[in-house]
Amino acid sequence: MNPVVTSLLQTNDAASPSDVAAIQRLLKEALGLLPAVEDEFSALAQRRKALQASIHDYETVLAPIRLLSQDILQYIFLLTLPDDRNPGMSSKESPLLVSQVCSTWRQAALTAPCLWSRLHIPIIRRNKAMLPYGGLNLTHLQAITYLQQRQRADGEEGYLKELDDHPSNSEYNRHVRKVNSVMSNRRQMVEQWLKRAGMTDLSISIVEATATFSTSQSSHTCEFGLCLSLSSKEAAPEWTRHGVDIVKILVKYASRLAVLDLGIPPQRAKPILGLSPAKVPRLRSLRLWHPGYQSVASSRHAIVGSPHIRTLRITIPAPIISGARVQWGNLVHLAVTIHTGSWYRDPKPLREFLSACQNLVVLSVVISKARAASSYQNTVVSISSALHVYSSRADSLYLAKQS
């Protein structure tokens, strides 16, 4: 820097006329050089950015994960599956999540049958609900009676137009169409999923889900098969057909079922429950846990007779052996709900029931509506496995074999 400028910067003195002229020349020269320097800086910045992009590309190509063989990649994918449940049909979790990262990962995922051997399937529940109409909350039967009366009074065309124009009904119909679309996609996904599983053992859990829709006034839970807008009767069975089709798909793959959790009512699961032991040769775990099984003897369904079942959860009307298809002596884990019966007056049936289970390691017994806790607690049952009482209440008992 010019020494005159340096000296002036250290004081508040004014520059002399000759110094002013010299400093103005220096300023003009500096302003003239600045654009060239800025252009050079911009070029260097662009070059720096290009180099950084190239470095990133080189590092990406040389990333260690690219060196993994497909079988190791598939094993890593397996570790991303949930441990405590079957994976759902969601793009937010594996295996669908890892199959959407890139074409290489997708190919690896689709060629790993064990990645698709477990599946959780929700099916929309038929829930008895109210149909909003004209500010009224009507049951399905009441709605039919009401609209029949309106039909006689106003003619069919008039009451159907009024029904379609009602805001709540329009929202409801849109929601029904959306649910039908979801269930249709779900049915297709189930079939694709099980095909990808190849010949591996299948672990399937199927449950009921609640479908809801909202209006500006309130939120409703509706039964899509029954509470559907009466002006769209042809659409009523559509989602039900998809649910039935899903059950039929599971029947088609029955020979590969190894673990099956049925959280749907017996009437819906009837095609599965009626499978003979010969049709489910791999089945080793069966859980029937929908409340609907409390009113039927689930131990008498054909599927429970599979000789390879080692884990079983069922409901029986009473602790009885006669008429049951279960191979009690083969069971290792048993969870049983005794719904009704007179065992509390005579503990002998309970002793006979548990004595037939010679190989149990874990036993869980729930007594529904137990009326005599003392009889239950004083009953002594002798079975070959040394089961230790881990918890005991008036209505339940949990035992397990000590290690």
Side-chain angles (χ1 to χ4, degrees), residues 100-332:
Q100 297 175 352
V101 173
C102 63
S103 58
T104 302
W105 282 30
R106 180 170 179 80
Q107 179 64 22
L110 295 182
T111 54
C114 52
L115 201 61
W116 307 92
S117 62
R118 297 161 52 200
L119 177 61
H120 177 71
I121 310 170
I123 292 185
I124 294 178
R125 177 169 56 189
R126 287 175 177 254
N127 187 32
K128 294 182 179 180
M130 312 303 284
L131 174 64
Y133 181 80
L136 302 174
N137 280 334
L138 304 178
T139 64
H140 181 59
L141 181 59
Q142 290 171 334
I144 292 176
T145 304
Y146 175 76
L147 293 174
Q148 286 175 343
Q149 293 172 352
R150 292 298 305 274
Q151 181 182 17
R152 288 192 293 269
D154 303 336
E156 182 174 358
E157 184 176 350
Y159 92 88
L160 286 179
K161 183 177 185 305
E162 181 181 350
L163 184 63
D164 282 336
D165 291 344
H166 190 275
S168 295
N169 231 30
S170 299
E171 294 176 16
Y172 183 78
N173 287 331
R174 283 195 296 270
H175 185 64
V176 170
R177 288 192 292 270
K178 181 179 179 180
V179 170
N180 287 337
S181 175
V182 169
M183 287 301 298
S184 175
N185 293 336
R186 189 167 297 171
R187 177 188 59 78
Q188 296 175 21
M189 177 59 71
V190 168
E191 188 139 31
Q192 282 185 351
W193 195 293
L194 298 183
K195 284 181 180 178
R196 293 171 183 173
M199 297 305 296
T200 58
D201 290 354
L202 297 176
S203 174
I204 304 295
S205 53
I206 178 169
V207 299
E208 289 187 324
T210 302
T212 61
F213 78 99
S214 299
T215 68
S216 57
Q217 296 179 344
S218 60
S219 178
H220 304 270
T221 302
C222 280
E223 182 180 2
F224 285 94
L226 296 177
C227 289
L228 184 66
S229 166
L230 299 181
S231 62
S232 306
K233 291 180 181 179
E234 67 278 359
E238 187 168 344
W239 78 264
T240 303
R241 184 180 71 247
H242 295 318
V244 172
D245 287 346
I246 289 175
V247 173
K248 290 180 179 178
I249 291 172
L250 296 182
V251 171
K252 186 170 68 173
Y253 288 89
S255 62
R256 290 164 44 200
L257 291 175
V259 179
L260 181 61
D261 284 11
L262 289 180
I264 57 177
Q267 61 270 26
R268 279 203 172 185
K270 191 174 181 180
I272 299 176
L273 297 174
L275 292 171
S276 66
K279 293 183 178 180
V280 284
R282 304 187 192 183
L283 189 62
R284 60 179 184 270
S285 176
L286 176 65
R287 297 172 70 243
L288 309 178
W289 53 274
H290 187 274
Y293 293 104
Q294 295 182 3
S295 59
V296 296
S298 53
S299 62
R300 298 183 181 181
H301 295 301
I303 193 172
V304 303
S306 175
H308 302 292
I309 293 179
R310 297 295 181 267
T311 300
L312 180 65
R313 175 179 175 178
I314 58 171
T315 299
I316 56 178
I320 55 176
I321 300 298
S322 60
R325 299 173 182 262
V326 180
Q327 305 292 321
W328 303 107
N330 295 339
L331 299 179
V332 177

Side-chain angles (χ1 to χ4, degrees), residues 21-38:
I23 293 172
Q24 286 178 342
R25 286 194 301 273
L26 293 173
L27 175 61
K28 186 176 181 180
E29 292 175 3
L31 290 173
L33 293 173
L34 184 60
V37 173
E38 287 181 343

